[in-house]
Amino acid sequence: MSTLEEVRAEAAQHRADFLKAHKDACIALGKYCMAMEKAQALTSAAAIPMLGGNPELENKLRALLIKERPVRVLKGQGCDQFWGWGWDLVFEVT
């Protein structure tokens, strides 16, 4: 059986790993949103007045959208939500 110090060290390592992954995910999401904003602007700029947008370009933009919630995708891959330890289980993503 693990000692309390070993368990604390393991928890500290998992915490550090999670915080790094969370930071990386937030940065990646921000970059994705910025790129999508540019793609949307360029796609809209290609629209023909009175005729509307180019369906081919609109479909390519639509293909880049994140359509399913990440938690739902993970559940579909066999992961399960965990409702366990702690009183504040909400993480803010800005």
Side-chain angles (χ1 to χ4, degrees):
M1 180 167 262
S2 300
T3 67
L4 179 55
E5 297 305 320
E6 290 171 337
V7 172
R8 284 183 184 152
E10 180 183 1
Q13 183 59 52
H14 289 306
R15 178 182 178 272
D17 293 346
F18 169 76
L19 291 175
K20 182 181 181 330
H22 185 262
K23 176 185 173 185
D24 292 345
C26 289
I27 291 169
L29 178 60
K31 288 179 179 179
Y32 166 74
C33 291
M34 288 170 43
M36 285 299 289
E37 183 178 9
K38 290 176 188 175
Q40 174 67 57
L42 292 171
T43 301
S44 295
I48 300 170
M50 304 295 284
L51 294 177
N54 179 322
E56 182 181 351
L57 297 179
E58 296 285 341
N59 287 336
K60 287 181 179 181
L61 179 66
R62 194 172 294 114
L64 294 172
L65 293 174
I66 298 173
K67 296 176 186 126
E68 282 197 71
R69 295 179 180 174
V71 171
R72 183 176 295 156
V73 172
L74 290 171
K75 284 176 138 183
Q77 295 174 355
C79 295
D80 197 13
Q81 279 184 295
F82 174 76
W83 300 97
W85 177 85
W87 60 271
D88 184 5
L89 299 175
V90 177
F91 290 96
E92 185 176 325
V93 177
T94 55

